[in-house]
Amino acid sequence: MKPLVTVVIPNYNYAKYLPDCLTSILEQSYSPLEIILVDDGSTDHSLLIAKRHSDRVKIVANEHGGVNAARNLGIRYSNGKYIAFCDSDDVWLPTKIELQVNFLENNPGFGLVYSGIQIVSEDLTFIETKDAKDAGDCSKEFIKRPGEAIVLLGASTALIRGGLVKVIGGFDESLNGPGEDLDFFRRISEKTLIDFIDEYLVLYRQHQISASRVSSEKYYDGNRKVLLKLFRDNRLSTTSAARRVSWLKLHWTFFKNELKKLNFVSAVKQFLPAFGKID
């Protein structure tokens, strides 16, 4: 008998994109799937769209608490041996779950498998691809490469052993904002080996209100909070020199990005804290 996979879909006012997301999950080549849509207090017609599929989709309506709170609520309702997350503006290719389940069933030493992505426009027109590249013990990469998605678009690409998700306590709900899932995948990486399917199994949609359009200042603030939590959690296992280097790298990354866009004031504003106290 094939193992049950729980799919958690957090949604907030994405009625425009939800049909594509749900269709891509309902048409997966793999079964059995337990599909849980957590509506995070939407004020559009998201719930009406979800209810069209109420025979196959469990709908959990919640007050608006942010994407991590929605994901955690979905985890609490989950029964699957494996758990996957799909943001409600993203789309899966049909064989995503099948390929990932086959990998984890045949590789018990790995707790998470993800994939490459295709970046697409609002109407799903192809823009470019991004390859998955990190595998094995990835726990040290989060301090070496701060602000970078080690598990590429993890919240929509990853399939994870359900017991592992619950052991680490789910997502940190205080980190709602850009980069909110970096902390989750960092903690996962400290418990297990990671690998990827070398295919582009997720369509990542770029649009005006997606996270990809969030201001650089908000990205900086979100990634700074995630890095500071890493320092707190690993204060005995990382040296002060390593923390300082990681702190500088984070600020340098945002400095370079803003310079490329000729945002000189923002570049300086985001780089100056690199030389101050780490807090």
Side-chain angles (χ1 to χ4, degrees), residues 8-190:
V8 176
I9 309 166
N11 175 76
Y12 178 65
N13 285 344
Y14 270 178
K16 183 176 182 179
Y17 309 113
L18 189 55
D20 289 335
C21 175
L22 286 173
T23 298
S24 76
I25 294 169
L26 291 167
E27 293 182 352
Q28 285 292 297
S29 61
Y30 182 87
S31 65
L33 295 179
E34 173 187 54
I35 305 171
I36 303 173
L37 184 139
V38 182
D39 188 78
D40 190 35
S42 292
T43 56
D44 62 6
H45 57 288
S46 291
L47 282 174
L48 291 176
I49 291 171
K51 287 175 181 177
R52 297 173 190 165
H53 305 284
S54 59
D55 58 326
R56 292 187 60 190
V57 179
K58 181 180 182 64
I59 302 167
V60 180
N62 195 40
E63 293 184 3
H64 184 53
V67 64
N68 279 350
R71 289 167 179 155
N72 284 341
L73 187 56
I75 291 168
R76 288 197 288 274
Y77 278 95
S78 68
N79 297 292
K81 179 178 179 179
Y82 300 110
I83 296 179
F85 303 93
C86 189
D87 289 346
S88 55
D89 55 343
D90 292 334
V91 172
W92 285 353
L93 269 64
T95 58
K96 176 189 184 292
I97 295 298
E98 180 181 5
L99 291 171
Q100 292 180 320
V101 169
N102 288 342
F103 176 86
L104 290 178
E105 287 289 284
N106 291 304
N107 294 276
F110 291 79
L112 181 153
V113 60
Y114 67 110
S115 74
I117 64 173
Q118 297 181 42
I119 298 176
V120 297
S121 66
E122 189 167 12
D123 65 357
L124 300 182
T125 300
F126 174 80
I127 297 175
E128 63 178 326
T129 57
K130 284 190 178 265
D131 295 321
K133 61 181 180 180
D134 291 292
D137 179 359
C138 297
S139 59
K140 301 296 189 296
E141 297 305 314
F142 288 82
I143 195 167
K144 291 179 182 177
R145 293 149 54 197
E148 185 175 335
I150 306 304
V151 180
L152 182 64
L153 194 63
S156 287
T157 63
L159 182 69
I160 315 164
R161 297 187 187 276
L164 184 59
V165 172
K166 295 176 181 179
V167 162
I168 70 161
F171 292 81
D172 186 337
E173 295 179 21
S174 73
L175 296 174
N176 269 319
E180 81 285 323
D181 57 353
L182 289 175
D183 169 74
F184 174 81
F185 290 105
R186 187 263 299 176
R187 288 182 286 121
I188 287 279
S189 76
E190 292 170 353

Side-chain angles (χ1 to χ4, degrees), residues 179-206:
E180 81 285 323
D181 57 353
L182 289 175
D183 169 74
F184 174 81
F185 290 105
R186 187 263 299 176
R187 288 182 286 121
I188 287 279
S189 76
E190 292 170 353
K191 300 289 186 181
T192 188
L193 297 175
I194 290 171
D195 210 338
F196 58 84
I197 305 296
D198 195 16
E199 296 185 30
Y200 307 111
L201 299 177
V202 176
L203 306 184
Y204 174 62
R205 184 187 248 133
Q206 287 188 346

